[in-house]
Amino acid sequence: MFAAGTAAVITPILEFRGRGCTQAVGGGIPGATTPATREHIVGIQFGTRPDTRGRLHRVV
């Protein structure tokens, strides 16, 4: 499970916390898909991976 926002990056959800309760997700560690997806997105943003869909536009 992960969350995405307007900053075009994802972050793993490791637990939910509420008043008097805590619920771990996935044993409290991220699964393999979340960090791999995050690294792929960040790689495209920093130019270390190709932007195969042409979605990035340089703003000067």
Side-chain angles (χ1 to χ4, degrees):
M1 180 178 296
F2 60 84
T6 58
V9 73
I10 65 169
T11 189
I13 296 174
L14 305 180
E15 68 182 13
F16 293 100
R17 295 181 189 176
R19 292 186 183 133
C21 66
T22 301
Q23 178 64 49
V25 176
I29 58 171
T33 303
T34 302
T37 304
R38 183 184 192 285
E39 290 302 315
H40 187 82
I41 292 170
V42 171
I44 293 170
Q45 292 169 335
F46 281 89
T48 59
R49 289 183 180 258
D51 173 19
T52 59
R53 297 182 185 209
R55 293 183 176 174
L56 295 181
H57 300 279
R58 183 169 301 275
V59 177
V60 182

